[in-house]
Amino acid sequence: MNKINKLFAEKAQDKKFLSLYFCAGCPTLDSTTDVILTMQRRGIDFIEVGIPFSDPLADGPVIQSAATKALKNGMSLKTLFAQLSEIKEKVSIPLILMGYLNPILHYGIEHFCQSCAEVGVSGMIIPDLPFDDYLNMVKPVADRYDLRVIMLITPETSEERIRFIDEHTDGFIYMVSSAAITGTQKSFDEQKQEYFRRIDQMQLRNPRMIGFGISNAQTLRAAQDNAAGAIIGSKFVMLLDEAGGNADVALDNLFEALK
């Protein structure tokens, strides 16, 4: 069974999940594997590993800066897969690669999915992947390699579209807290809370994870109260950079901020 499905099937009844995002190759080219293993040791449920790209349209300044640094450090998909292969036997939690379509197309969809399967990656998030291209071009290949393609929904996504996504995807649905770019927020206003409640009432087949803007106890609690759990990106990327790449220190500071 795919690790994402297994995680939600085995533990969804008794806990709320926490997923963290970081950019591969940042703050140093060789820090990727240590960050992953440290997060696993510290109890993170699954990890989104960012593929750096020169034009990250959906990302705020923190993740843009991390991507720029990673590219300057020499990070590429080929390098990332080589690094992940070194720790394949040590990683038991799901790894999800998150990146834009252009580098994946350049690498080749078939080659990308094959490489993911070979190094133990469980799925992918491609924010700028059109849904028709997902259905016709990506999903058939991903299915052959037992990979989950996670799709995003926003407050502007129609109910019809959400149900269509729910019907044709597997793993979980990534609920973007707002239509804005990534970044931290101090709280979720009533409009966002209503969005969370509206989606919850739809009783979708797939579990949902809420991301974008989660950085403190209030936003974490709001996400966990209205979904299977929370995804934290910018806050952890910022703390990891401030800690000079020391994932233990970054996690200590993150857990303190979430209290």
Side-chain angles (χ1 to χ4, degrees):
M1 179 186 288
N2 182 282
K3 288 181 181 178
I4 298 171
N5 298 94
K6 185 177 181 182
L7 177 72
F8 284 104
E10 291 181 349
K11 299 182 179 180
Q13 299 302 317
D14 58 3
K15 71 169 294 181
K16 293 294 185 177
F17 298 101
L18 179 60
S19 173
L20 298 185
Y21 166 96
F22 79 104
C23 185
C26 181
T28 68
L29 181 63
D30 298 324
S31 62
T32 305
T33 55
D34 178 69
V35 173
I36 291 171
L37 293 175
T38 302
M39 282 200 277
Q40 176 176 265
R41 174 171 52 81
R42 297 292 298 272
I44 302 305
D45 296 297
F46 58 94
I47 301 169
E48 294 177 16
V49 183
I51 303 167
F53 182 49
S54 57
D55 190 23
L57 297 176
D59 293 313
V62 172
I63 293 178
Q64 285 187 21
S65 176
T68 298
K69 183 178 293 187
L71 290 172
K72 288 181 178 179
N73 288 341
M75 178 51 70
S76 66
L77 270 174
K78 182 179 179 180
T79 298
L80 175 57
F81 283 128
Q83 292 178 346
L84 294 178
S85 69
E86 297 174 359
I87 59 171
K88 176 184 176 181
E89 304 303 324
K90 299 178 182 179
V91 178
S92 58
I93 63 175
L95 296 181
I96 299 171
L97 297 191
M98 185 170 188
Y100 291 86
L101 185 57
N102 188 283
I104 295 172
L105 287 177
H106 184 73
Y107 193 83
I109 297 294
E110 180 84 30
H111 190 199
F112 178 79
C113 290
Q114 181 181 6
S115 296
C116 284
E118 287 175 349
V119 303
V121 168
S122 298
M124 64 197 79
I125 301 170
I126 310 173
D128 60 340
L129 173 65
F131 201 78
D132 287 345
D133 288 345
Y134 156 70
L135 287 176
N136 299 317
M137 181 175 69
V138 178
K139 186 178 187 299
V141 182
D143 285 350
R144 287 205 306 273
Y145 291 96
D146 194 30
L147 299 169
R148 303 293 175 259
V149 183
I150 309 303
M151 303 300 291
L152 285 71
I153 64 171
T154 76
E156 282 71 41
T157 308
S158 69
E159 178 175 340
E160 179 183 16
R161 185 70 164 180
I162 292 170
R163 292 199 182 279
F164 189 73
I165 290 171
D166 188 45
E167 180 183 353
H168 292 90
T169 61
D170 193 14
F172 67 92
I173 290 175
Y174 192 135
M175 280 183 64
V176 177
S177 67
S178 72
I181 58 175
T182 58
T184 62
Q185 297 180 41
K186 292 183 178 180
S187 63
F188 290 136
D189 60 25
E190 178 56 30
Q191 187 176 14
K192 291 186 177 67
Q193 301 268 8
E194 175 55 33
Y195 158 58
F196 298 158
R197 291 191 291 267
R198 173 170 59 87
I199 303 303
D200 191 41
Q201 291 167 2
M202 290 177 65
Q203 298 184 323
L204 300 175
R205 179 179 61 87
N206 282 296
R208 307 170 318 280
M209 296 286 292
I210 296 177
F212 281 47
I214 298 170
S215 61
N216 57 22
Q218 184 174 358
T219 49
L220 175 68
R221 185 166 56 253
Q224 292 182 333
D225 285 348
N226 291 280
I231 299 168
I232 298 177
S234 295
K235 181 69 173 182
F236 180 69
V237 171
M238 182 173 58
L239 292 172
L240 187 62
D241 184 62
E242 290 174 355
N246 187 318
D248 267 315
V249 172
L251 286 167
D252 284 343
N253 292 332
L254 177 64
F255 294 151
E256 184 64 29
L258 297 177
K259 285 183 178 179

